[in-house]
Amino acid sequence: MGHSEGLHRRSAGLAGWSELAGRRDGLQGAAGLEMRAMAVEFPVVHGHPNRLPFEGVLTLVDVASDKAPSGAKGHRVVLTHAAAEAALPSLLGMAVDYKAGWDGHDARQKCGIITAAELDGQKLMVAGYLFARDFPEMEAKIQGSGLASNLMGMSYELADAHVADMRAQVWTLTRATFTGAAILLREKAAYRSTSFRVKRPASAGRRVAVAR
């Protein structure tokens, strides 16, 4: 079972969005790691031509970035676990975007939506859908033009970020609101341990979509 499917399946039967970690101690993973997850419910539509599932590691928490992200004025950053956990609800329903060249952000090129988020140890995992029919070049470029899934990563977009000490060499973010995420080459991301991959569902047969 893929990560995206797993996030949605654990929230099955709950209306709207649901916090799956209602208890303070959260969910316990197989290795005893604390996990917290949230997901937005969507009706199942088999073979939907504009929903291409994706999953990825958006960032790491309590770990300094490998390089300074955009907007950090040259500072590497640390997103605390507490800040990421508090901001999980703000991720749901936010868009993913991409930039030509796969080397940065373009908030106007919104090509999908985040429907689930989970803290698994130091990894902030996300899942959702790309708008495959609206952006057919996405899957083609990622899977068919030499950009193997192991080369792709993600980068978060924030607003209202609070830095504990602006004079510090590495900025510690203690509060923030997620406003979206970018899909880009992993080597271009502030965290090189991020990941991104699409999952093409099995097709029962060829379908033709007609706009009315």
Side-chain angles (χ1 to χ4, degrees):
M1 180 173 64
H3 188 80
S4 173
E5 181 183 353
L7 283 180
H8 290 293
R9 184 168 294 178
R10 281 200 292 274
S11 63
L14 300 180
W17 68 267
S18 58
E19 183 173 359
L20 303 183
R23 297 176 301 166
R24 188 172 180 81
D25 58 351
L27 302 175
Q28 294 297 320
L33 297 175
E34 184 174 299
M35 302 171 67
R36 296 184 184 274
M38 288 185 171
V40 175
E41 293 296 316
F42 277 83
V44 175
V45 182
H46 295 290
H48 196 301
N50 211 28
R51 286 189 193 173
L52 178 61
F54 74 81
E55 61 188 14
V57 177
L58 177 59
T59 191
L60 302 180
V61 299
D62 288 338
V63 176
S65 60
D66 295 300
K67 61 182 181 180
S70 176
K73 300 181 179 180
H75 293 264
R76 294 161 63 212
V77 300
V78 174
L79 178 64
T80 66
H81 188 284
E85 182 179 339
L88 274 185
S90 68
L91 260 177
L92 304 183
M94 290 297 98
V96 292
D97 59 68
Y98 80 105
K99 179 183 176 184
W102 306 94
D103 59 355
H105 298 248
D106 186 347
R108 294 170 297 180
Q109 282 280 90
K110 300 184 187 301
C111 57
I113 185 172
I114 295 170
T115 60
E118 177 178 78
L119 274 171
D120 183 357
Q122 291 183 316
K123 294 180 179 179
L124 176 47
M125 316 289 293
V126 293
Y129 300 102
L130 294 181
F131 303 140
R133 188 163 181 253
D134 297 338
F135 293 87
E137 69 273 19
M138 291 290 296
E139 185 180 13
K141 287 183 178 179
I142 291 174
Q143 295 187 338
S145 301
L147 295 180
S149 60
N150 61 357
L151 297 179
M152 304 305 294
M154 301 188 76
S155 179
Y156 57 66
E157 295 165 354
L158 298 177
D160 304 325
H162 180 268
V163 179
D165 183 0
M166 296 286 289
R167 297 167 298 179
Q169 185 174 4
V170 177
W171 281 0
T172 298
L173 307 182
T174 58
R175 186 173 66 249
T177 300
F178 289 110
T179 59
I183 304 162
L184 71 175
L185 288 168
R186 183 184 295 175
E187 65 181 20
K188 300 296 184 180
Y191 286 87
R192 296 193 180 96
S193 296
T194 61
S195 65
F196 178 86
R197 75 182 187 99
V198 297
K199 303 193 305 175
R200 168 59 68 183
S203 176
R206 186 176 179 181
R207 293 181 173 85
V208 177
V210 179
R212 297 181 182 274

